[in-house]
Amino acid sequence: MISDIVFMEQLNKYYAVWQEYNYVYEEWAKAHGLSVNSLLVLCAIYDGGEDCTQKKISQRWMIPKQTVNMVFKEFERKGFVELFFLPEDKRNKVIRLTRAGKEYADTIISELRRAELAAVEEIGVERMQQLNENMALFVEFFSKAGGKNDCETDQ
């Protein structure tokens, strides 16, 4: 039987990699004049389609609503985004990129995706699939053990 010490060593390695993962994205965002939250909000709006709201961004990326609103206001000040009322729900507004925002996002997001895809190419499809499957299993088993999972794991 594997001891708790071995499990804790592996869990600590997981934490270290997770922290490094976050650090890499923070540094990438900073090198492009953004905070990591601004980068995530920009990606969410860019990929969000016709029903992108501040609430959905907050829930999907686990960013406080106030932070999402602060980032949105900065993007609005720069002329990158605008709000539209949802026809079926006047309380919620959809966020859309303006033409200038789309041009800006195209530049940032395409550069980010190139870097990410280069990493995936180096890893290889098979290992990337294993990584995704293993992360999904971790979420499933953590949830069963008492963690809470309100998010979809197959995104």
Side-chain angles (χ1 to χ4, degrees):
M1 181 169 175
I2 300 176
S3 73
D4 284 349
I5 293 170
V6 174
F7 285 135
M8 280 310 302
E9 286 174 357
Q10 291 305 307
L11 192 56
N12 286 331
K13 286 180 182 179
Y14 170 77
Y15 294 152
V17 171
W18 183 17
Q19 291 164 345
E20 186 68 20
Y21 173 89
N22 288 323
Y23 177 77
V24 167
Y25 274 88
E26 285 175 23
E27 289 301 303
W28 193 95
K30 192 185 308 180
H32 292 80
L34 295 165
S35 69
V36 73
N37 285 332
S38 295
L39 177 63
L40 293 174
V41 170
L42 184 64
C43 288
I45 297 168
Y46 188 79
D47 296 335
E50 293 298 312
D51 65 344
C52 182
T53 65
Q54 290 184 40
K55 181 178 180 180
K56 287 181 180 181
I57 294 170
S58 175
Q59 290 172 338
R60 178 169 185 216
W61 291 102
M62 297 181 297
I63 302 171
K65 288 179 195 174
Q66 297 86 346
T67 303
V68 173
N69 188 56
M70 189 174 67
V71 169
F72 168 76
K73 292 293 185 195
E74 179 63 17
F75 286 161
E76 188 176 42
R77 186 185 68 72
K78 292 178 176 179
F80 292 162
V81 296
E82 52 193 354
L83 287 176
F84 295 92
F85 284 104
L86 286 169
E88 66 277 0
D89 182 2
K90 299 285 187 204
R91 292 173 299 151
N92 284 311
K93 298 173 198 158
V94 174
I95 303 170
R96 294 202 184 115
L97 293 168
T98 62
R99 181 176 305 200
K102 177 108 173 69
E103 290 171 8
Y104 174 72
D106 282 341
T107 302
I108 296 291
I109 305 297
S110 65
E111 190 173 335
L112 175 64
R113 296 298 183 242
R114 274 194 303 275
E116 291 170 325
L117 289 173
V120 170
E121 190 174 323
E122 286 285 326
I123 292 169
V125 172
E126 186 176 316
R127 287 175 69 191
M128 194 67 197
Q129 287 172 331
Q130 290 171 353
L131 173 66
N132 290 331
E133 290 167 6
N134 288 330
M135 290 300 298
L137 275 175
F138 183 89
V139 169
E140 178 185 336
F141 295 149
F142 179 75
S143 296
K144 281 183 188 175
K148 187 172 180 176
N149 180 20
D150 289 332
C151 300
E152 295 177 24
T153 57
D154 61 328
Q155 294 181 10

